[in-house]
Amino acid sequence: MNSQKKQEIRDFTLSVLTEDKAGLINQLTIVFTKRKININSLNVSNSEVAGVSRFTIVTRTSRDMIDKIVKQIRKLIDVLGAFVYEDDQIFYQEIALYKVPTKAFINGNSVENLVRNSGARILVVEEEHIIIEKTGHSKETHDLYQKLEPFGLLEFIRSGRVAVSKSIRKTEAYIKGLEASNSNKLSIKDF
Amino acid sequence: MNTSTLTLAKNKTDNSKKIKGSEAVLKCLIAEGVETIFGYPGGAIMPIYDSLYHYQNKLNHILTRHEQGAVHAAQGMARVTRKTGVCFATSGPGATNLITGIADAQIDSTPLVCITGQVPSHLLGTDAFQETDVIGISMPVTKWNYQVTRAEEIPFAIARAFYIANTGRPGPVLIDITKDAQITEFDFEYDKCEKIRSYHPYPELRSGDLKAAANLINKSKKPYILLGQGVQLSGAEKELIQFAEKTGIPMASTLMGLSGVPVDHPLYVGYLGMHGNYGANIKTNECDVLIAIGMRFDDRVTGDLKKYAKQAKVIHIEIDPSEIDKNVKTTIAINADAKQALTGLIPLVNSARYAEWIEEFRVCDVIEHNKVIDAETHPVSGQIKMAEVISKISALTFGEAVVVTDVGQHQMVANRYYQFQNSLSCITSGGLGTMGFALPAAMGAKVGQPSRDVIAIIGDGGFQMTIQELGTIKQNDLAVKILVLNNNFLGMVRQWQQLFFDKRYSFTELDNPDFQLITKGYGISAQKVSERINLDQAIHDWLSCEGPALLEVVVDQEENVFPMVPSGASVSDIRLD
Ligand SMILES: Cc1ncc(C[n+]2csc(CCOP(=O)(O)OP(=O)(O)O)c2C)c(N)n1
């Protein structure tokens, strides 16, 4: 990679496997705050291996910096592995919820069409409001946000990114590998 | 469960015995080979101190006068022995007083296990008396930390703490133990930690990297070794000498690497960085292959990175992968323990000699001697200079003492002029630059190496940051030799004010107390010298004292340390005056 490409600011998705222990989120965010780098989204969940959590962190920075950050994260004692991805190396989604007044549906069916055409769905219909759900990339959920805004959108919320890599390696095999080897985590390149 | 695990489980309970958490802590320390603890008691750690009362024949506890003293003492001890230093403190202010030392140990890779008491677990988060979130506070400055809230976790936590602190790149670990966990009884059993699946401290040496490095080295015309503390941390001193002597490559040391190689070794060309040697610095920008061993290209070593060793191919031997390519881009990275890497590299490199290249360093030496060193070490008139004091001490101790320095001009001068002969002898706060480090660290060094001469070299400013530790030194009769180089200024800051702030001496002049009187007040012998003609005798008398002793030397007030790479400048722009 040439040095200009290494400096270019863009989105990176980090997938971090950790032991399921208190305080890890702090340890991870310290790596970012120490360098004054913003985390754009952060999602924590169980992984498919018992006792192992997965953090998915999205941040905007350079390749140079993200490589340094990943090494610092790997250095944390309770981190089992940390992997960086660019958007084309993963499948990723975010989920957005929109609350619109029910009366917006009464005046004709434009909202209904909009929902259908955007690949969204109606989650709940209440007397006062309707909740719409859409899964997609942030650009798509943002587009729907802009379209719903004229109808008196009451509330909008979007989750952090969740992502799976296009690699076919298994988390469980990776953890087993760690348990078996004495080697350096760095040699396990991508995942 | 099959029968064999059943019997195993049964044996376990048979061997174990119910004891309190507080006693378990001490048993764990004994199992880890700990001999000395530096500490300070208080409410939340009182159960541990109560157990300690019954363990005085098995564990040596040294009561310091401040928790910062305890942690620096533990650091000093760790640095001269390569063993893990241990300190105790209570919750709240006791714990926060440790933080400076922990941060210092983190940046200088010193293995420590710090144990703090914490309020009972049912009071956590209630802002109870002396409750501080020490886990949160210490997280950015520890290699690992852990809060114990149940007695059963104590063996697990302490076993991990020792394993983590002193494997791979060493560092400080903090274990916070709630008071209820200290007083609860449980079945004690201890197993040393030997593996953590998420922690792989010793990277696998890859033969391809070694071969590539050897190829580069064998083809080079002006190779240059930079050694850091990693050489001493991994015990690679002999391997380094073997490697250098076979290849004939000149070597220079960072501040933290000092004493890793005897200063008078024919291939040793000096000390790197802001106040390092002239040749050692400028040749970094003239070599063709740079072999960095166990060092991290700190900004005090590199100056402006954009103008640092750009012409050179860089081989970086480093155990911590996060240091590789952090500041300086490597051509070949050898992510491994220094000793292992050098052992692997020695058979692959050719025997060579670089007489002309080494001669270039010697030419620089002559320049530095003429412009700086001779006048500093052998002044004929004027006030006493720091460098002449250090040179005399170095000669009288044959360069064999453990030299513990504080932070400032005296630190730079001491490390420039002391002629280190033995490994693990230069103890200084390099990364954090913590004033107040030297006196307590020297005390810890003396405990760790009682048969060696330990000399603390301190400025009049830094001395007053941890002066209370004179009490600890006296109570424990620790024969530390204390040198205070008194210039009545916060000298290093004054130097910067003179050079870069048009001599505006903003709050750097000190109106000092009578250091002799204070020291004598603590029951420690003290003398003061301000005239050159009395200097030799004073140093001689001071070094011949049986127990601890202080020597205050009144030195030139507005002396500057040179050479100097101004902050942010290139190493090539090092100033000789
Ligand atoms: C705890 C701490 N506070 C402030 C500093 C900034 N500082 C660096 S050197 C120095 C002056 C030290 O003066 P002194 O101890 O008298 O030693 P000298 O430089 O005169 O030899 C100061 C204030 C520091 N390094 N550490």
Side-chain angles (χ1 to χ4, degrees):
Chain A
M1 203 181 293
N2 66 33
S3 73
Q4 205 186 336
K5 185 99 206 275
K6 284 204 144 193
Q7 300 305 328
E8 190 187 298
I9 303 295
R10 53 192 191 274
D11 280 344
F12 291 95
T13 302
L14 289 171
S15 179
V16 183
L17 295 169
T18 74
E19 299 290 0
D20 183 10
K21 284 196 182 144
L24 264 155
I25 198 161
N26 251 6
Q27 293 185 37
L28 289 172
T29 56
I30 283 168
V31 173
F32 291 83
T33 43
K34 186 173 175 189
R35 293 163 182 80
K36 205 169 165 54
I37 292 174
N38 257 350
I39 289 176
N40 292 354
S41 86
L42 189 155
N43 183 276
V44 199
S45 74
N46 297 336
S47 73
E48 61 277 29
V49 180
V52 174
S53 307
R54 187 195 305 277
F55 288 74
T56 308
I57 302 170
V58 182
T59 185
R60 256 185 103 65
T61 184
S62 65
R63 184 83 220 180
D64 250 358
M65 183 53 81
I66 202 76
D67 286 344
K68 289 179 188 173
I69 286 177
V70 162
K71 287 184 188 176
Q72 295 296 335
I73 289 176
R74 286 180 178 144
K75 199 161 131 173
L76 300 170
I77 302 290
D78 293 314
V79 166
L80 290 149
F83 314 94
V84 191
Y85 303 107
E86 302 212 22
D87 288 355
D88 61 350
Q89 296 173 298
I90 46 174
F91 300 110
Y92 63 94
Q93 293 284 282
E94 286 150 17
I95 181 164
L97 301 178
Y98 311 76
K99 195 197 274 180
V100 288
T102 308
K103 63 178 189 301
F105 281 74
I106 299 161
N107 310 332
N109 57 6
S110 57
V111 180
E112 255 178 325
N113 278 340
L114 216 158
V115 168
R116 208 172 305 117
N117 297 338
S118 315
R121 68 184 186 114
I122 292 169
L123 199 63
V124 185
V125 181
E126 302 260 301
E127 207 178 309
E128 291 291 311
H129 55 253
I130 291 174
I131 297 173
I132 298 162
E133 173 203 310
K134 170 154 180 63
T135 308
H137 291 183
S138 51
K139 191 187 167 306
E140 298 160 344
T141 51
H142 183 73
D143 281 351
L144 182 58
Y145 166 88
Q146 285 184 318
K147 287 178 186 151
L148 287 171
E149 220 182 359
F151 297 94
L153 188 63
L154 296 166
E155 234 178 291
F156 167 71
I157 187 155
R158 181 162 59 207
S159 74
R161 176 184 287 192
V162 290
V164 288
S165 84
K166 293 181 178 173
S167 144
I168 51 160
R169 290 172 62 176
K170 278 186 146 175
T171 307
E172 200 177 347
Y174 171 76
I175 307 278
K176 288 237 167 76
L178 280 184
E179 283 171 356
S181 91
N182 240 339
S183 82
N184 170 17
K185 282 180 270 183
L186 259 193
S187 61
I188 300 159
K189 279 268 154 46
D190 63 329
F191 178 67
Chain B
M1 203 187 272
N2 63 30
T3 40
S4 65
T5 45
L6 263 176
T7 35
L8 233 167
K10 193 162 167 283
N11 277 345
K12 275 191 171 180
T13 38
D14 284 349
N15 288 342
S16 64
K17 183 174 148 251
K18 270 206 182 324
I19 58 168
K20 281 188 186 157
S22 56
E23 187 181 352
V25 170
L26 306 180
K27 281 189 179 287
C28 295
L29 298 183
I30 292 167
E32 290 292 341
V34 172
E35 288 165 8
T36 301
I37 301 154
F38 298 91
Y40 209 98
I45 199 169
M46 279 183 68
I48 291 177
Y49 271 86
D50 189 51
S51 294
L52 196 53
Y53 186 79
H54 305 288
Y55 272 74
Q56 291 180 58
N57 55 345
K58 298 203 181 90
L59 284 165
N60 174 32
H61 177 275
I62 292 182
L63 172 69
T64 57
R65 296 300 182 265
H66 189 293
E67 290 84 356
Q68 186 181 354
V71 61
H72 288 329
Q75 287 180 273
M77 182 158 127
R79 294 267 288 269
V80 295
T81 60
R82 291 199 193 95
K83 289 190 194 150
T84 304
V86 179
C87 60
F88 284 174
T90 192
S91 66
T96 56
N97 276 346
L98 293 179
I99 297 297
T100 302
I102 294 175
D104 193 286
Q106 170 85 339
I107 201 164
D108 280 348
S109 313
T110 309
L112 291 186
V113 170
C114 304
I115 294 179
T116 51
Q118 182 56 280
V119 301
S121 56
H122 72 274
L123 291 180
L124 284 172
T126 65
D127 302 320
F129 177 64
Q130 294 193 328
E131 181 188 2
T132 298
D133 175 15
V134 69
I135 291 295
I137 291 176
S138 66
M139 203 173 268
V141 291
T142 46
K143 189 171 172 188
W144 189 64
N145 67 15
Y146 188 80
Q147 185 171 61
V148 171
T149 51
R150 291 181 306 118
E152 292 77 10
E153 296 172 288
I154 287 171
F156 156 85
I158 295 184
R160 280 200 160 207
F162 278 90
Y163 177 64
I164 292 167
N166 213 351
T167 47
R169 178 177 178 179
V173 171
L174 182 137
I175 303 292
D176 192 36
I177 310 178
T178 58
K179 200 167 180 180
D180 50 327
Q182 297 172 39
I183 57 182
T184 309
E185 290 198 341
F186 74 112
D187 285 328
F188 177 74
E189 217 183 314
Y190 195 71
D191 287 313
K192 277 198 168 191
C193 176
E194 268 151 18
K195 188 175 166 77
I196 297 175
R197 68 174 182 175
S198 59
Y199 171 60
H200 297 252
Y202 297 105
E204 230 163 68
L205 188 58
R206 292 185 298 202
S207 61
D209 297 340
L210 288 182
K211 281 190 198 128
N215 262 338
L216 253 190
I217 293 167
N218 291 339
K219 281 190 288 193
S220 66
K221 303 263 180 314
K222 292 181 167 191
Y224 188 21
I225 297 170
L226 308 186
L227 68 109
Q229 192 194 194
V231 169
Q232 292 175 77
L233 289 173
S234 83
E237 297 91 338
K238 273 205 202 91
E239 289 74 10
L240 174 65
I241 297 279
Q242 257 179 293
F243 173 74
E245 287 179 354
K246 181 170 182 190
T247 56
I249 303 177
M251 46 188 171
S253 174
T254 65
L255 174 64
M256 295 301 292
L258 285 176
S259 86
V261 168
V263 169
D264 52 9
H265 189 281
L267 289 168
Y268 182 73
V269 294
Y271 154 40
L272 296 158
M274 189 172 265
H275 294 288
N277 293 113
Y278 179 60
N281 275 307
I282 63 170
K283 294 296 163 191
T284 319
N285 279 354
E286 293 170 26
C287 65
D288 63 349
V289 174
L290 201 61
I291 308 154
I293 308 173
M295 56 85 81
R296 59 185 180 84
F297 293 106
D298 177 79
D299 59 282
R300 283 294 189 268
V301 163
T302 64
D304 184 359
L305 272 176
K306 291 195 209 74
K307 296 178 189 151
Y308 183 78
K310 287 297 177 198
Q311 80 296 341
K313 295 218 159 63
V314 177
I315 298 169
H316 195 177
I317 300 176
E318 169 59 50
I319 196 163
D320 177 356
S322 74
E323 291 298 347
I324 293 170
D325 291 330
K326 187 181 85 174
N327 296 335
V328 170
K329 288 272 171 284
T330 45
T331 315
I332 293 158
I334 303 179
N335 181 204
D337 172 70
K339 182 171 181 155
Q340 208 194 353
L342 286 169
T343 307
L345 209 46
I346 292 166
L348 304 179
V349 289
N350 297 339
S351 279
R353 291 295 168 261
Y354 299 94
E356 279 174 38
W357 168 227
I358 289 171
E359 185 51 30
E360 292 183 33
F361 286 91
R362 301 301 168 212
V363 170
C364 292
D365 270 357
V366 173
I367 297 172
E368 189 175 338
H369 265 274
N370 290 341
K371 287 225 162 178
V372 182
I373 300 174
D374 295 346
E376 289 289 314
T377 52
H378 295 94
V380 282
S381 61
Q383 283 200 278
I384 300 177
K385 289 187 182 279
M386 290 185 182
E388 66 177 313
V389 183
I390 304 298
S391 295
K392 286 180 195 294
I393 293 172
S394 183
L396 273 173
T397 55
F398 308 103
E400 287 178 344
V402 174
V403 175
V404 187
T405 45
D406 213 73
V407 174
Q409 292 184 310
H410 64 280
Q411 174 190 32
M412 294 299 118
V413 173
N415 289 310
R416 279 177 57 78
Y417 295 104
Y418 195 82
Q419 304 289 302
F420 293 103
Q421 298 302 312
N422 301 317
S423 178
L424 305 179
S425 299
C426 168
I427 312 301
T428 195
S429 168
L432 204 66
T434 306
M435 283 172 73
F437 173 84
L439 190 64
M443 167 175 120
K446 187 68 191 174
V447 175
Q449 291 284 6
S451 60
R452 294 190 66 188
D453 288 329
V454 175
I455 301 175
I457 300 178
I458 319 179
D460 47 311
F463 188 40
Q464 295 178 76
M465 283 212 176
T466 46
I467 196 167
Q468 75 286 345
E469 298 307 331
L470 288 172
T472 312
I473 289 172
K474 174 63 189 170
Q475 186 170 0
N476 296 279
D477 194 23
L478 302 171
V480 175
K481 299 291 181 283
I482 307 154
L483 176 71
V484 172
L485 293 174
N486 187 354
N487 54 13
N488 267 97
F489 268 111
L490 297 174
M492 186 56 93
V493 179
R494 188 211 51 75
Q495 173 170 347
W496 284 46
Q497 288 172 336
Q498 179 182 346
L499 298 176
F500 313 118
F501 295 89
D502 292 330
K503 245 186 154 178
R504 287 185 294 277
Y505 290 168
S506 180
F507 302 99
T508 43
E509 199 172 348
L510 294 169
D511 188 354
N512 283 321
D514 183 337
F515 292 129
Q516 275 190 96
L517 195 60
I518 289 179
T519 307
K520 285 180 180 160
Y522 275 101
I524 294 173
S525 73
Q527 48 174 330
K528 178 175 179 173
V529 59
S530 37
E531 301 298 328
R532 180 163 291 116
I533 55 164
N534 303 324
L535 185 60
D536 283 323
Q537 188 64 44
I539 294 177
H540 179 269
D541 292 348
W542 166 66
L543 287 175
S544 347
C545 275
E546 275 275 306
L550 174 125
L551 175 65
E552 176 188 352
V553 182
V554 178
V555 294
D556 196 348
Q557 286 211 316
E558 296 187 48
E559 174 75 32
N560 289 333
V561 189
F562 283 108
M564 177 175 194
V565 181
S567 115
S570 157
V571 288
S572 302
D573 298 330
I574 187 166
R575 288 173 54 172
L576 285 163
D577 50 35

